[in-house]
Amino acid sequence: LDCKYLYSLLKHMSLCHPRFQFTYSPADRGIATVDVRINKTYYTKEPSADPVERMGTNSINIKRRPTKCKSSTSLVVDKCDKCRNDLSEFTAGKRSARPKLSRIFYHTQSCLPMMPNERDSEEENVTEWLKTTSMKMVDEFIDVNCGEKQFMKVWNLYMMENKIMADKQMPQACLTFAKEKKQELKEKSILYNLVTHVIYMCDIGLVPPCTLTEVIRVIQDDRH
């Protein structure tokens, strides 16, 4: 956006970026400043407001299916008299009042509307039902033996509990898994299933060959 005048820039930012507040300070020693802050009233909720009551028809109907939200914007066309550009409307204390908007936020896992002052995170926790479902899905495979199924259950749970998401984490994850789960794998007689698993990851380029060497060293080392 090429704004030749400061007023045009402030007008654009205040109208197109309502999540921020822009306060203009007149030139002091020849330098004018614009203070940018978070607009705390953008998502203002009434403390006693119940989000369930505010859901209305624009929310997700849990019993049926999601419904399309209605548009909350409108285009108004009007012919008005030419006004003088006045930077005073952006100075502190003279900013025009904006309507307080209200938005409903939902919990990450339950999808229920959040009450005022509640907090939530996008980071998912590993729940018991997720662990059980993962094990049942492994048991549904018919082209693998019992040892491979037991190993994949241990491996999948470890991946979920330790938030392994990126490929670059896999080499270190393999070493840590070998150290932490060595005794458990030995008791279940599936210790060398780990070696086979790491060999496959080497074949597809997920981990370097040195990772396989380190994993075998951990398995053969009685100190771990």
PDB file of all heavy atoms in Angstrom, residues 30-56:
ATOM      1  N   GLY A  30      10.174  17.819  15.607  1.00  0.00           N
ATOM      2  CA  GLY A  30      10.173  17.488  14.188  1.00  0.00           C
ATOM      3  C   GLY A  30       9.884  16.037  13.866  1.00  0.00           C
ATOM      4  O   GLY A  30       9.936  15.651  12.701  1.00  0.00           O
ATOM      5  N   ILE A  31       9.571  15.196  14.884  1.00  0.00           N
ATOM      6  CA  ILE A  31       9.325  13.771  14.651  1.00  0.00           C
ATOM      7  C   ILE A  31       7.954  13.409  15.194  1.00  0.00           C
ATOM      8  O   ILE A  31       7.688  13.560  16.389  1.00  0.00           O
ATOM      9  CB  ILE A  31      10.400  12.894  15.327  1.00  0.00           C
ATOM     10  CG1 ILE A  31      11.790  13.240  14.790  1.00  0.00           C
ATOM     11  CG2 ILE A  31      10.086  11.414  15.109  1.00  0.00           C
ATOM     12  CD1 ILE A  31      12.896  12.474  15.465  1.00  0.00           C
ATOM     13  N   ALA A  32       7.048  12.965  14.311  1.00  0.00           N
ATOM     14  CA  ALA A  32       5.728  12.497  14.711  1.00  0.00           C
ATOM     15  C   ALA A  32       5.783  10.995  14.955  1.00  0.00           C
ATOM     16  O   ALA A  32       6.516  10.263  14.283  1.00  0.00           O
ATOM     17  CB  ALA A  32       4.701  12.818  13.636  1.00  0.00           C
ATOM     18  N   THR A  33       5.023  10.516  15.920  1.00  0.00           N
ATOM     19  CA  THR A  33       5.038   9.089  16.276  1.00  0.00           C
ATOM     20  C   THR A  33       3.630   8.515  16.211  1.00  0.00           C
ATOM     21  O   THR A  33       2.640   9.233  16.415  1.00  0.00           O
ATOM     22  CB  THR A  33       5.607   8.888  17.692  1.00  0.00           C
ATOM     23  OG1 THR A  33       4.793   9.601  18.635  1.00  0.00           O
ATOM     24  CG2 THR A  33       7.040   9.377  17.776  1.00  0.00           C
ATOM     25  N   VAL A  34       3.566   7.218  15.913  1.00  0.00           N
ATOM     26  CA  VAL A  34       2.303   6.480  15.909  1.00  0.00           C
ATOM     27  C   VAL A  34       2.463   5.290  16.836  1.00  0.00           C
ATOM     28  O   VAL A  34       3.304   4.414  16.597  1.00  0.00           O
ATOM     29  CB  VAL A  34       1.935   6.009  14.488  1.00  0.00           C
ATOM     30  CG1 VAL A  34       0.651   5.191  14.530  1.00  0.00           C
ATOM     31  CG2 VAL A  34       1.771   7.194  13.560  1.00  0.00           C
ATOM     32  N   ASP A  35       1.688   5.249  17.891  1.00  0.00           N
ATOM     33  CA  ASP A  35       1.757   4.182  18.886  1.00  0.00           C
ATOM     34  C   ASP A  35       0.806   3.068  18.481  1.00  0.00           C
ATOM     35  O   ASP A  35      -0.392   3.308  18.259  1.00  0.00           O
ATOM     36  CB  ASP A  35       1.386   4.728  20.265  1.00  0.00           C
ATOM     37  CG  ASP A  35       1.525   3.676  21.357  1.00  0.00           C
ATOM     38  OD1 ASP A  35       2.392   2.796  21.210  1.00  0.00           O
ATOM     39  OD2 ASP A  35       0.764   3.725  22.338  1.00  0.00           O
ATOM     40  N   VAL A  36       1.317   1.848  18.364  1.00  0.00           N
ATOM     41  CA  VAL A  36       0.512   0.690  17.963  1.00  0.00           C
ATOM     42  C   VAL A  36       0.348  -0.231  19.166  1.00  0.00           C
ATOM     43  O   VAL A  36       1.332  -0.694  19.741  1.00  0.00           O
ATOM     44  CB  VAL A  36       1.173  -0.073  16.795  1.00  0.00           C
ATOM     45  CG1 VAL A  36       0.285  -1.236  16.364  1.00  0.00           C
ATOM     46  CG2 VAL A  36       1.443   0.862  15.635  1.00  0.00           C
ATOM     47  N   ARG A  37      -0.899  -0.518  19.519  1.00  0.00           N
ATOM     48  CA  ARG A  37      -1.187  -1.387  20.660  1.00  0.00           C
ATOM     49  C   ARG A  37      -2.304  -2.364  20.300  1.00  0.00           C
ATOM     50  O   ARG A  37      -3.046  -2.155  19.338  1.00  0.00           O
ATOM     51  CB  ARG A  37      -1.610  -0.557  21.886  1.00  0.00           C
ATOM     52  CG  ARG A  37      -0.523   0.383  22.400  1.00  0.00           C
ATOM     53  CD  ARG A  37      -0.947   1.053  23.679  1.00  0.00           C
ATOM     54  NE  ARG A  37       0.089   1.943  24.191  1.00  0.00           N
ATOM     55  CZ  ARG A  37      -0.007   2.622  25.336  1.00  0.00           C
ATOM     56  NH1 ARG A  37      -1.091   2.503  26.073  1.00  0.00           N
ATOM     57  NH2 ARG A  37       0.988   3.400  25.720  1.00  0.00           N
ATOM     58  N   ILE A  38      -2.404  -3.415  21.110  1.00  0.00           N
ATOM     59  CA  ILE A  38      -3.482  -4.388  20.923  1.00  0.00           C
ATOM     60  C   ILE A  38      -4.800  -3.749  21.321  1.00  0.00           C
ATOM     61  O   ILE A  38      -4.908  -3.110  22.370  1.00  0.00           O
ATOM     62  CB  ILE A  38      -3.229  -5.651  21.759  1.00  0.00           C
ATOM     63  CG1 ILE A  38      -1.931  -6.339  21.315  1.00  0.00           C
ATOM     64  CG2 ILE A  38      -4.398  -6.624  21.637  1.00  0.00           C
ATOM     65  CD1 ILE A  38      -1.962  -6.859  19.912  1.00  0.00           C
ATOM     66  N   ASN A  39      -5.814  -3.927  20.497  1.00  0.00           N
ATOM     67  CA  ASN A  39      -7.141  -3.415  20.794  1.00  0.00           C
ATOM     68  C   ASN A  39      -7.839  -4.376  21.750  1.00  0.00           C
ATOM     69  O   ASN A  39      -8.361  -5.415  21.340  1.00  0.00           O
ATOM     70  CB  ASN A  39      -7.950  -3.251  19.508  1.00  0.00           C
ATOM     71  CG  ASN A  39      -9.280  -2.565  19.752  1.00  0.00           C
ATOM     72  OD1 ASN A  39      -9.628  -2.229  20.881  1.00  0.00           O
ATOM     73  ND2 ASN A  39     -10.030  -2.356  18.677  1.00  0.00           N
ATOM     74  N   LYS A  40      -7.843  -4.053  23.022  1.00  0.00           N
ATOM     75  CA  LYS A  40      -8.398  -4.950  24.041  1.00  0.00           C
ATOM     76  C   LYS A  40      -9.911  -5.071  23.949  1.00  0.00           C
ATOM     77  O   LYS A  40     -10.495  -5.994  24.530  1.00  0.00           O
ATOM     78  CB  LYS A  40      -7.998  -4.466  25.426  1.00  0.00           C
ATOM     79  CG  LYS A  40      -6.493  -4.509  25.672  1.00  0.00           C
ATOM     80  CD  LYS A  40      -6.170  -4.054  27.086  1.00  0.00           C
ATOM     81  CE  LYS A  40      -4.653  -4.115  27.337  1.00  0.00           C
ATOM     82  NZ  LYS A  40      -4.301  -3.689  28.704  1.00  0.00           N
ATOM     83  N   THR A  41     -10.566  -4.160  23.271  1.00  0.00           N
ATOM     84  CA  THR A  41     -12.026  -4.205  23.169  1.00  0.00           C
ATOM     85  C   THR A  41     -12.511  -4.962  21.942  1.00  0.00           C
ATOM     86  O   THR A  41     -13.716  -5.050  21.713  1.00  0.00           O
ATOM     87  CB  THR A  41     -12.583  -2.768  23.111  1.00  0.00           C
ATOM     88  OG1 THR A  41     -12.102  -2.126  21.925  1.00  0.00           O
ATOM     89  CG2 THR A  41     -12.155  -1.979  24.331  1.00  0.00           C
ATOM     90  N   TYR A  42     -11.577  -5.498  21.160  1.00  0.00           N
ATOM     91  CA  TYR A  42     -11.995  -6.168  19.931  1.00  0.00           C
ATOM     92  C   TYR A  42     -12.795  -7.426  20.214  1.00  0.00           C
ATOM     93  O   TYR A  42     -13.770  -7.730  19.540  1.00  0.00           O
ATOM     94  CB  TYR A  42     -10.766  -6.513  19.084  1.00  0.00           C
ATOM     95  CG  TYR A  42     -11.108  -7.053  17.716  1.00  0.00           C
ATOM     96  CD1 TYR A  42     -11.508  -6.205  16.698  1.00  0.00           C
ATOM     97  CD2 TYR A  42     -11.044  -8.414  17.445  1.00  0.00           C
ATOM     98  CE1 TYR A  42     -11.836  -6.684  15.437  1.00  0.00           C
ATOM     99  CE2 TYR A  42     -11.377  -8.899  16.193  1.00  0.00           C
ATOM    100  CZ  TYR A  42     -11.766  -8.043  15.202  1.00  0.00           C
ATOM    101  OH  TYR A  42     -12.093  -8.519  13.957  1.00  0.00           O
ATOM    102  N   TYR A  43     -12.364  -8.199  21.219  1.00  0.00           N
ATOM    103  CA  TYR A  43     -13.060  -9.432  21.571  1.00  0.00           C
ATOM    104  C   TYR A  43     -13.737  -9.302  22.922  1.00  0.00           C
ATOM    105  O   TYR A  43     -13.826 -10.261  23.675  1.00  0.00           O
ATOM    106  CB  TYR A  43     -12.085 -10.613  21.618  1.00  0.00           C
ATOM    107  CG  TYR A  43     -11.510 -10.983  20.287  1.00  0.00           C
ATOM    108  CD1 TYR A  43     -10.143 -11.127  20.117  1.00  0.00           C
ATOM    109  CD2 TYR A  43     -12.326 -11.185  19.201  1.00  0.00           C
ATOM    110  CE1 TYR A  43      -9.601 -11.464  18.889  1.00  0.00           C
ATOM    111  CE2 TYR A  43     -11.807 -11.524  17.963  1.00  0.00           C
ATOM    112  CZ  TYR A  43     -10.452 -11.668  17.822  1.00  0.00           C
ATOM    113  OH  TYR A  43      -9.925 -12.006  16.605  1.00  0.00           O
ATOM    114  N   THR A  44     -14.188  -8.139  23.259  1.00  0.00           N
ATOM    115  CA  THR A  44     -14.756  -7.917  24.583  1.00  0.00           C
ATOM    116  C   THR A  44     -15.996  -8.767  24.775  1.00  0.00           C
ATOM    117  O   THR A  44     -16.882  -8.813  23.932  1.00  0.00           O
ATOM    118  CB  THR A  44     -15.116  -6.437  24.771  1.00  0.00           C
ATOM    119  OG1 THR A  44     -13.940  -5.671  24.625  1.00  0.00           O
ATOM    120  CG2 THR A  44     -15.717  -6.198  26.149  1.00  0.00           C
ATOM    121  N   LYS A  45     -16.032  -9.443  25.936  1.00  0.00           N
ATOM    122  CA  LYS A  45     -17.212 -10.211  26.317  1.00  0.00           C
ATOM    123  C   LYS A  45     -17.753  -9.650  27.618  1.00  0.00           C
ATOM    124  O   LYS A  45     -17.010  -9.158  28.452  1.00  0.00           O
ATOM    125  CB  LYS A  45     -16.870 -11.687  26.522  1.00  0.00           C
ATOM    126  CG  LYS A  45     -16.245 -12.360  25.327  1.00  0.00           C
ATOM    127  CD  LYS A  45     -15.909 -13.767  25.712  1.00  0.00           C
ATOM    128  CE  LYS A  45     -15.159 -14.477  24.584  1.00  0.00           C
ATOM    129  NZ  LYS A  45     -14.778 -15.835  24.950  1.00  0.00           N
ATOM    130  N   GLU A  46     -19.035  -9.744  27.794  1.00  0.00           N
ATOM    131  CA  GLU A  46     -19.598  -9.364  29.072  1.00  0.00           C
ATOM    132  C   GLU A  46     -19.233 -10.427  30.094  1.00  0.00           C
ATOM    133  O   GLU A  46     -19.357 -11.622  29.829  1.00  0.00           O
ATOM    134  CB  GLU A  46     -21.124  -9.250  28.973  1.00  0.00           C
ATOM    135  CG  GLU A  46     -21.573  -8.142  28.029  1.00  0.00           C
ATOM    136  CD  GLU A  46     -21.159  -6.771  28.527  1.00  0.00           C
ATOM    137  OE1 GLU A  46     -20.995  -6.629  29.750  1.00  0.00           O
ATOM    138  OE2 GLU A  46     -21.002  -5.859  27.710  1.00  0.00           O
ATOM    139  N   PRO A  47     -18.792 -10.054  31.312  1.00  0.00           N
ATOM    140  CA  PRO A  47     -18.363 -11.047  32.299  1.00  0.00           C
ATOM    141  C   PRO A  47     -19.425 -12.072  32.623  1.00  0.00           C
ATOM    142  O   PRO A  47     -19.136 -13.224  32.887  1.00  0.00           O
ATOM    143  CB  PRO A  47     -18.007 -10.180  33.518  1.00  0.00           C
ATOM    144  CG  PRO A  47     -17.697  -8.822  32.959  1.00  0.00           C
ATOM    145  CD  PRO A  47     -18.604  -8.670  31.778  1.00  0.00           C
ATOM    146  N   SER A  48     -20.695 -11.648  32.585  1.00  0.00           N
ATOM    147  CA  SER A  48     -21.765 -12.564  32.965  1.00  0.00           C
ATOM    148  C   SER A  48     -22.393 -13.251  31.770  1.00  0.00           C
ATOM    149  O   SER A  48     -23.365 -13.978  31.910  1.00  0.00           O
ATOM    150  CB  SER A  48     -22.846 -11.799  33.739  1.00  0.00           C
ATOM    151  OG  SER A  48     -23.370 -10.762  32.931  1.00  0.00           O
ATOM    152  N   ALA A  49     -21.865 -12.998  30.591  1.00  0.00           N
ATOM    153  CA  ALA A  49     -22.475 -13.568  29.384  1.00  0.00           C
ATOM    154  C   ALA A  49     -22.177 -15.047  29.284  1.00  0.00           C
ATOM    155  O   ALA A  49     -21.062 -15.489  29.507  1.00  0.00           O
ATOM    156  CB  ALA A  49     -21.975 -12.837  28.151  1.00  0.00           C
ATOM    157  N   ASP A  50     -23.184 -15.799  28.956  1.00  0.00           N
ATOM    158  CA  ASP A  50     -23.035 -17.234  28.766  1.00  0.00           C
ATOM    159  C   ASP A  50     -22.818 -17.496  27.290  1.00  0.00           C
ATOM    160  O   ASP A  50     -23.690 -17.185  26.465  1.00  0.00           O
ATOM    161  CB  ASP A  50     -24.285 -17.961  29.250  1.00  0.00           C
ATOM    162  CG  ASP A  50     -24.118 -19.474  29.203  1.00  0.00           C
ATOM    163  OD1 ASP A  50     -23.061 -19.924  28.715  1.00  0.00           O
ATOM    164  OD2 ASP A  50     -25.026 -20.186  29.640  1.00  0.00           O
ATOM    165  N   PRO A  51     -21.671 -18.063  26.908  1.00  0.00           N
ATOM    166  CA  PRO A  51     -21.420 -18.275  25.474  1.00  0.00           C
ATOM    167  C   PRO A  51     -22.417 -19.212  24.830  1.00  0.00           C
ATOM    168  O   PRO A  51     -22.659 -19.122  23.633  1.00  0.00           O
ATOM    169  CB  PRO A  51     -19.996 -18.852  25.445  1.00  0.00           C
ATOM    170  CG  PRO A  51     -19.767 -19.383  26.805  1.00  0.00           C
ATOM    171  CD  PRO A  51     -20.547 -18.512  27.733  1.00  0.00           C
ATOM    172  N   VAL A  52     -23.009 -20.113  25.612  1.00  0.00           N
ATOM    173  CA  VAL A  52     -23.994 -21.028  25.040  1.00  0.00           C
ATOM    174  C   VAL A  52     -25.218 -20.259  24.581  1.00  0.00           C
ATOM    175  O   VAL A  52     -25.814 -20.536  23.539  1.00  0.00           O
ATOM    176  CB  VAL A  52     -24.380 -22.107  26.067  1.00  0.00           C
ATOM    177  CG1 VAL A  52     -25.442 -23.039  25.489  1.00  0.00           C
ATOM    178  CG2 VAL A  52     -23.156 -22.891  26.489  1.00  0.00           C
ATOM    179  N   GLU A  53     -25.601 -19.228  25.358  1.00  0.00           N
ATOM    180  CA  GLU A  53     -26.755 -18.436  24.994  1.00  0.00           C
ATOM    181  C   GLU A  53     -26.454 -17.536  23.798  1.00  0.00           C
ATOM    182  O   GLU A  53     -27.342 -17.171  23.041  1.00  0.00           O
ATOM    183  CB  GLU A  53     -27.192 -17.579  26.187  1.00  0.00           C
ATOM    184  CG  GLU A  53     -27.652 -18.408  27.380  1.00  0.00           C
ATOM    185  CD  GLU A  53     -28.022 -17.524  28.558  1.00  0.00           C
ATOM    186  OE1 GLU A  53     -27.876 -16.289  28.437  1.00  0.00           O
ATOM    187  OE2 GLU A  53     -28.467 -18.053  29.591  1.00  0.00           O
ATOM    188  N   ARG A  54     -25.178 -17.159  23.638  1.00  0.00           N
ATOM    189  CA  ARG A  54     -24.798 -16.282  22.544  1.00  0.00           C
ATOM    190  C   ARG A  54     -24.534 -17.032  21.251  1.00  0.00           C
ATOM    191  O   ARG A  54     -24.274 -16.420  20.223  1.00  0.00           O
ATOM    192  CB  ARG A  54     -23.540 -15.481  22.920  1.00  0.00           C
ATOM    193  CG  ARG A  54     -23.774 -14.536  24.055  1.00  0.00           C
ATOM    194  CD  ARG A  54     -22.574 -13.639  24.291  1.00  0.00           C
ATOM    195  NE  ARG A  54     -21.461 -14.387  24.880  1.00  0.00           N
ATOM    196  CZ  ARG A  54     -20.376 -14.719  24.217  1.00  0.00           C
ATOM    197  NH1 ARG A  54     -20.243 -14.406  22.962  1.00  0.00           N
ATOM    198  NH2 ARG A  54     -19.407 -15.387  24.808  1.00  0.00           N
ATOM    199  N   MET A  55     -24.567 -18.359  21.307  1.00  0.00           N
ATOM    200  CA  MET A  55     -24.249 -19.140  20.119  1.00  0.00           C
ATOM    201  C   MET A  55     -25.280 -18.933  19.014  1.00  0.00           C
ATOM    202  O   MET A  55     -24.940 -18.723  17.866  1.00  0.00           O
ATOM    203  CB  MET A  55     -24.140 -20.618  20.463  1.00  0.00           C
ATOM    204  CG  MET A  55     -22.909 -20.959  21.270  1.00  0.00           C
ATOM    205  SD  MET A  55     -22.936 -22.622  21.923  1.00  0.00           S
ATOM    206  CE  MET A  55     -22.880 -23.564  20.431  1.00  0.00           C
ATOM    207  N   GLY A  56     -26.571 -18.983  19.360  1.00  0.00           N
ATOM    208  CA  GLY A  56     -27.607 -18.711  18.378  1.00  0.00           C
ATOM    209  C   GLY A  56     -27.544 -19.658  17.202  1.00  0.00           C
ATOM    210  O   GLY A  56     -27.204 -20.826  17.317  1.00  0.00           O
TER     211      GLY A  56
END
